[in-house]
Amino acid sequence: MLSRILLVCLSLSVNSAASSLSCRWITDEKFRQHSENYLQLLDTMVSLCLLSLDDVHWMTLLYCVFPSTHDVCVCVCVCVCVLQANNSTNSTEDDEVKNTFPEHLYSQASKASAEDKLAFTAQVLNETSVLFEEDHSSASWEENTVENFVIVVTQQADELRSCIGSHGHKKKNKKLHMYFQRLSSHVLQRMGHSAEAWELIRKEVQFHLMRANQLVTSATRTN
């Protein structure tokens, strides 16, 4: 819901002021369409494995549903306990991800030139596509969904760079690059590329993409 509300605001803002950048990718609404596309794809990646139980566990727990009413209550209690235990084990990683979000980098980028804002956004998109090329087999996502997400994100980055010419080839923001590397090493690798790890990444990337969209909006307003 939050991503849909942002997309409506993004569309109104970009359409009203983007022409000053002379970027047809933005003025022709391609940027908005691609943003909407990859945010929707992220929404579909909410993993059923977030319950942290594989099919065998479910069959074992639900097998006792039929014998009697008393057994039904026991089974339900077991399910709840398992879910609560798994949620508590992930709270530390979740807090770590939230506490390391590079808010200061977005604050700095918001004060930069329009070209630098687009360059920063393009890097966010590229770093995201690299991240999603890691092993996601435990996330139970449809492979074509992930592939489409990476394709759309990469194309968005390439087109934004084409809008800013030589600025598109400037050096990477090292702190932003190191942040995404930490997401890979401290979350995905440390948690064994599990479904839980990928859900943390999915939510974090979703926030990045929404913040990056806001940068593009501000770039079109100030130039």
Side-chain angles (χ1 to χ4, degrees), residues 1-218:
M1 178 61 71
L2 178 61
S3 61
R4 293 189 181 94
I5 293 174
L6 176 65
L7 286 169
V8 172
C9 297
L10 175 67
S11 177
L12 294 174
S13 300
V14 168
N15 289 340
S16 64
S19 59
S20 60
L21 278 176
S22 299
C23 180
R24 292 192 60 183
W25 184 254
I26 297 177
T27 57
D28 291 349
E29 296 194 17
K30 295 296 185 181
F31 175 81
R32 180 192 62 80
Q33 292 168 6
H34 278 60
S35 296
E36 181 176 354
N37 194 350
Y38 53 59
L39 285 171
Q40 287 178 344
L41 287 169
L42 268 185
D43 283 341
T44 67
M45 291 184 204
V46 178
S47 179
L48 295 178
C49 288
L50 291 181
L51 297 179
S52 303
L53 295 172
D54 57 28
D55 293 338
V56 175
H57 286 140
W58 275 113
M59 291 174 61
T60 302
L61 289 169
L62 298 180
Y63 181 77
C64 61
V65 167
F66 301 100
S68 69
T69 303
H70 176 71
D71 289 333
V72 172
C73 294
V74 171
C75 286
V76 171
C77 289
V78 171
C79 288
V80 171
C81 289
V82 173
L83 290 174
Q84 288 179 340
N86 282 323
N87 286 336
S88 65
T89 58
N90 293 329
S91 61
T92 301
E93 288 84 357
D94 198 358
D95 290 340
E96 181 178 344
V97 171
K98 291 178 181 177
N99 292 334
T100 58
F101 186 85
E103 182 65 38
H104 64 292
L105 297 183
Y106 281 92
S107 178
Q108 292 172 5
S110 68
K111 301 172 184 176
S113 67
E115 290 79 6
D116 285 341
K117 288 176 181 177
L118 296 191
F120 185 90
T121 299
Q123 183 179 342
V124 169
L125 294 170
N126 282 139
E127 300 282 2
T128 295
S129 65
V130 170
L131 200 61
F132 274 76
E133 288 175 351
E134 294 195 31
D135 178 19
H136 50 266
S137 58
S138 297
S140 73
W141 297 332
E142 292 289 338
E143 184 61 33
N144 64 332
T145 300
V146 183
E147 291 178 355
N148 289 338
F149 174 77
V150 171
I151 289 172
V152 175
V153 166
T154 301
Q155 184 178 10
Q156 183 88 296
D158 291 343
E159 294 295 341
L160 287 180
R161 283 208 169 86
S162 70
C163 288
I164 54 182
S166 60
H167 285 270
H169 302 288
K170 65 183 298 183
K171 292 182 178 180
K172 288 183 178 180
N173 184 307
K174 292 183 179 180
K175 291 183 178 179
L176 181 64
H177 180 61
M178 290 175 62
Y179 164 81
F180 274 93
Q181 285 189 322
R182 285 196 297 272
L183 287 183
S184 174
S185 60
H186 292 184
V187 179
L188 289 178
Q189 294 178 32
R190 181 181 295 177
M191 297 177 67
H193 290 83
S194 63
E196 292 83 359
W198 275 112
E199 175 57 13
L200 293 177
I201 295 299
R202 189 195 69 83
K203 290 189 295 185
E204 186 78 350
V205 163
Q206 186 177 47
F207 192 50
H208 273 287
L209 295 179
M210 290 190 291
R211 288 298 307 276
N213 286 350
Q214 292 173 354
L215 279 181
V216 174
T217 300
S218 66

